[in-house]
Amino acid sequence: MVPSSIINLTNHEVLHNKTLCQVDYFFFIGSVFLSVWLLAVVSIERVIVVIFHRKPTWLFLSSLILFFAIFYLFTFIYGLLTDTIKPSRLWNYCFITAESKAGGVILSMISILSTLTILIVIISYTSIAIYVLKVNLDVRNKTTEYGNGSSKNIRRAFIRMILTVIAYIITNSFEIGLELREISVLQERSLLEELICSVMQMFNVMVNSTIILISNEQASENFWKLVRFWKSND
């Protein structure tokens, strides 16, 4: 059982505790960043399947996932050893601080990887949206049986994908921008900037999930099956 002394702690007291702050960083921030990084793996898989009509090997995808997991574990351990995991200005989560040289190194590594994975996701899903639109337009031009309804559905799907990608950019770019600024000029975030980042992080996971549901037919089918199952058991 969890000791009552921990249960009764306020949020400020929890994050002020060095060990609990590190635990918060590992699980809360870890889940946020891993969702961003692992979405890049999913986007690569989708590009290979949809555009190149090939199925990536289990070893290839597993290697990418393992790389991100090891990378995050490394940065976390490095943060522990260098004591650079500190509470945010709003005291709502713990994160790497760039105040020290060691913290700047970790934050730089995380920011670079996050930037690369975000670019991969944006390029991948934009390419998929354009490719699917182009293929369906080619089919429409080659056959007279292609109805207006199908054309509208394709346009809706294309617009939905592009809007989701834009939402992905919005929910991720602000945090990355602040991290890069902290690294380059060592400027601390304002309370307003910290608040915006916190809100974006909450929406980030939802946007990531939406992208998977929109781009992966099997995932979408399984999701709606689960929803129907829940409804049938109400």
Side-chain angles (χ1 to χ4, degrees), residues 33-73:
F33 277 95
L34 283 175
S35 70
V36 174
W37 299 342
L38 294 180
L39 185 60
V41 178
V42 177
S43 67
I44 292 173
E45 186 268 344
R46 287 289 84 198
V47 166
I48 295 174
V49 171
V50 176
I51 297 180
F52 297 100
H53 306 292
R54 294 184 179 181
K55 187 175 182 179
T57 64
W58 177 87
L59 180 61
F60 172 70
L61 296 178
S62 299
S63 298
L64 290 177
I65 294 172
L66 185 62
F67 165 75
F68 288 123
I70 292 176
F71 176 82
Y72 183 74
L73 188 60

Side-chain angles (χ1 to χ4, degrees), residues 27-37 172 200-202 204-205 208:
F27 288 103
F28 176 63
I29 297 299
S31 63
V32 173
F33 277 95
L34 283 175
S35 70
V36 174
W37 299 342
N172 286 281
M200 292 300 179
Q201 286 172 356
M202 289 189 293
N204 179 272
V205 177
N208 292 349

Side-chain angles (χ1 to χ4, degrees), residues 144-224:
T144 57
E145 298 178 359
Y146 203 89
N148 291 329
S150 298
S151 180
K152 289 181 180 179
N153 289 335
I154 292 168
R155 285 197 296 269
R156 289 196 195 101
F158 174 79
I159 293 172
R160 189 164 58 243
M161 175 64 75
I162 294 300
L163 289 177
T164 307
V165 170
I166 292 174
Y168 178 81
I169 295 172
I170 293 173
T171 56
N172 286 281
S173 58
F174 194 74
E175 170 67 33
I176 297 300
L178 290 181
E179 289 176 11
L180 295 175
R181 190 188 68 183
E182 287 180 82
I183 296 167
S184 58
V185 298
L186 299 178
Q187 181 179 343
E188 190 177 13
R189 304 179 185 191
S190 67
L191 290 176
L192 178 60
E193 290 171 337
E194 194 68 73
L195 177 61
I196 294 174
C197 277
S198 298
V199 174
M200 292 300 179
Q201 286 172 356
M202 289 189 293
F203 283 106
N204 179 272
V205 177
M206 290 189 292
V207 171
N208 292 349
S209 302
T210 302
I211 290 178
I212 293 176
L213 292 177
I214 289 177
S215 63
N216 193 310
E217 185 176 347
Q218 184 177 358
S220 180
E221 289 178 358
N222 291 336
F223 172 76
W224 290 114

Side-chain angles (χ1 to χ4, degrees), residues 11 13-31 72-73 75-88 91 93-96 106:
N11 191 57
E13 290 171 332
V14 167
L15 298 185
H16 190 69
N17 182 290
K18 183 177 178 179
T19 301
L20 294 179
C21 182
Q22 293 166 346
V23 171
D24 175 85
Y25 170 76
F26 182 78
F27 288 103
F28 176 63
I29 297 299
S31 63
Y72 183 74
L73 188 60
T75 57
F76 173 69
I77 294 174
Y78 190 76
L80 292 181
L81 297 177
T82 56
D83 193 26
T84 52
I85 301 175
K86 306 293 182 183
S88 66
W91 287 84
Y93 65 89
C94 289
F95 192 51
I96 298 291
I106 306 174

Side-chain angles (χ1 to χ4, degrees), residues 138-149:
D138 289 342
V139 172
R140 186 187 66 177
N141 294 332
K142 292 178 181 179
T143 178
T144 57
E145 298 178 359
Y146 203 89
N148 291 329

